Amino acid sequence: MDQNDLGKIDLQVDLTFHSAPDLFLIGDISSSTNIRLVNPEPWVYDIKKWIISLLENKRDDCPKVLFLARNLSLSLELIDDKKMIELNSFWRQQNQSTDVLSFPALDQELLVPFDGFLELGDIFVSVPMAQRQAHEHHHDLVEELRWLVSHGLLHLLGWDHPDEESLQKMLTCQEHLLNIEGMV
């Protein structure tokens, strides 16, 4: 799918975005990375094209209401390890940082057409953890952030990975989403 294909499905994405504070950034940050850390537009573009791709491929594992809704709402917050530890401790009883947490708001069984904005939920990404993982995997921070946000989005849409088979299906879907051409 290229940029021209995004117009085939009319989809609006309302993103509440909380940018990464400068204090959390380690080392030199490229301008394209900085844009991702402080600007919601590239994220709106990615999220929109990822959801459109899932809809066009008629994924059975997507919530049925997603095929009916054309106005979606979610939040993305780029945070530090301290806040991630607080969230992970409170919600998962794990007193440690993690790379991404998602809090789905979707009712997987909802089938009613929805005229307003369908709330998907919240995604939190630890920028310091993403920086460490990008370094470990020998790729740039933007690639790691996109990986984590796509993973979080799939969780908002009901995906989970309780076993190796479901993890592999989810990772394959993520790879597909991340390989769609578009904004860096």
Side-chain angles (χ1 to χ4, degrees):
M1 176 188 319
D2 64 22
Q3 199 163 3
N4 296 330
D5 291 332
L6 289 177
K8 290 181 181 175
I9 292 180
D10 183 28
L11 182 71
Q12 297 299 314
V13 174
D14 177 34
L15 179 68
T16 301
F17 179 73
H18 301 274
S19 62
D22 292 340
L23 300 174
F24 307 139
L25 305 179
I26 303 165
D28 293 330
I29 301 295
S30 70
S31 61
S32 64
T33 301
N34 189 56
I35 289 169
R36 285 282 179 163
L37 293 172
V38 299
N39 189 342
E41 280 82 15
W43 295 114
V44 170
Y45 180 85
D46 276 349
I47 290 165
K48 182 176 178 177
K49 72 178 179 168
W50 294 337
I51 291 173
I52 288 172
S53 176
L54 293 170
L55 293 172
E56 287 181 341
N57 289 315
K58 297 179 177 44
R59 297 292 309 225
D60 292 340
D61 30 29
C62 283
K64 303 299 182 243
V65 71
L66 194 60
F67 292 93
L68 304 172
R70 289 300 176 251
N71 300 305
L72 306 175
S73 179
L74 69 150
S75 74
L76 171 59
E77 189 166 344
L78 304 177
I79 60 176
D80 64 353
D81 281 334
K82 181 180 180 205
K83 182 162 183 179
M84 185 61 83
I85 291 169
E86 290 172 7
L87 290 170
N88 208 19
S89 294
F90 185 80
W91 292 104
R92 298 179 63 226
Q93 293 71 50
Q94 295 185 16
N95 193 27
Q96 62 188 20
S97 188
T98 189
D99 50 10
V100 60
L101 284 176
S102 297
F103 298 96
L106 253 182
D107 178 350
Q108 297 295 323
E109 302 303 318
L110 184 66
L111 291 175
V112 179
F114 192 75
D115 294 336
F117 276 86
L118 179 65
E119 178 61 40
L120 298 180
D122 306 310
I123 302 170
F124 294 87
V125 175
S126 167
V127 174
M129 179 75 78
Q131 287 178 302
R132 291 189 295 273
Q133 289 176 175
H135 180 73
E136 290 168 12
H137 297 126
H138 307 290
H139 56 243
D140 67 14
L141 181 56
V142 169
E143 187 176 345
E144 186 68 23
L145 290 170
R146 290 181 77 238
W147 175 264
L148 295 173
V149 172
S150 67
H151 190 84
L153 177 65
L154 289 177
H155 277 300
L156 294 186
L157 298 176
W159 290 66
D160 202 4
H161 43 83
D163 55 47
E164 188 61 31
E165 181 181 347
S166 57
L167 175 62
Q168 287 310 311
K169 285 181 182 178
M170 189 170 179
L171 296 178
T172 299
C173 184
Q174 268 185 264
E175 288 292 336
H176 166 75
L177 296 179
L178 292 169
N179 285 324
I180 299 169
E181 287 187 36
M183 190 178 290
V184 176

